[in-house]
Amino acid sequence: MTETTRGRPIAIQMTVNSVPRAANVEPRTLLVHFLRETLGLTGTHIGCDTTQCGACTIHLDGRAVKSCTILAAQAQGGDLTTIEGLADADGLHPVQEGFRQEHGLQCGYCTPGMIMNAANLLHRNPHPTEDEIKHALQGNLCRCTGYVNIVRAVQWAAAQPGGSSVSG
């Protein structure tokens, strides 16, 4: 970045939850701040700004990523899904329903990131083992639950009819 472009707003475009979005952002704007402050999608939580907790996990071009370490400009042209876009008109996403059925949350702060990461896991691996679930979620911290019910929630989602085809 040169001195002449530093700090000047730049135009970005992306698809967020199946809706084309465009905005002007400061070059240093983090994707998590763009989602929360510009687009009003506050389901993506800010927990640490250092990729330690995973509360800000979203899907970018089909991959689970931590939005606190990606600049909004880096998502230019991308296809993003946040927790708000995971469910469809028919109801909750299977992982969301799994968290409800298996009591996979307490305070709920980590829940959006956990769900987004778990949905991505099931998209890539429809029938994960318990160890594969634990490995996939190791970048998401929960300070309340002890993870037992979170793992059960992902197992519940994988076992549902059509659960092996959950999108993420």
Side-chain angles (χ1 to χ4, degrees):
M1 182 177 328
T2 66
E3 283 297 317
T4 57
T5 61
R6 185 174 301 163
R8 285 190 187 160
I10 56 174
I12 60 171
Q13 296 179 350
M14 61 191 71
T15 301
V16 181
N17 299 331
S18 302
V19 177
R21 304 299 296 251
N24 292 323
V25 298
E26 294 289 327
R28 66 176 185 232
T29 302
L30 291 173
L31 184 55
V32 68
H33 294 296
F34 173 72
L35 293 170
R36 291 180 57 82
E37 297 164 15
T38 304
L39 301 185
L41 299 172
T42 58
T44 301
H45 292 164
I46 301 169
C48 67
D49 283 332
T50 60
T51 73
Q52 300 299 313
C53 74
C56 68
T57 302
I58 62 160
H59 298 167
L60 173 59
D61 295 329
R63 289 182 35 236
V65 298
K66 295 176 181 178
S67 62
C68 74
T69 57
I70 297 173
L71 297 172
Q74 290 175 295
Q76 164 66 21
D79 185 14
L80 285 72
T81 303
T82 68
I83 191 71
E84 292 92 344
L86 201 58
D88 61 26
D90 294 332
L92 295 176
H93 184 279
V95 177
Q96 291 171 311
E97 183 62 26
F99 268 67
R100 190 176 79 79
Q101 292 291 329
E102 297 296 327
H103 311 286
L105 64 111
Q106 284 185 16
C107 81
Y109 201 82
C110 71
T111 304
M114 288 280 189
I115 289 173
M116 296 304 290
N117 208 8
N120 188 254
L121 166 66
L122 294 182
H123 180 68
R124 293 181 289 108
N125 180 358
H127 301 289
T129 65
E130 183 175 335
D131 284 343
E132 289 169 329
I133 293 169
K134 289 177 181 178
H135 180 75
L137 296 179
Q138 71 184 6
N140 293 78
L141 298 179
C142 176
R143 291 176 172 90
C144 301
T145 68
Y147 302 94
V148 173
N149 289 350
I150 292 171
V151 172
R152 286 183 186 149
V154 178
Q155 291 171 321
W156 185 95
Q160 298 313 297
S164 63
S165 62
V166 294
S167 63

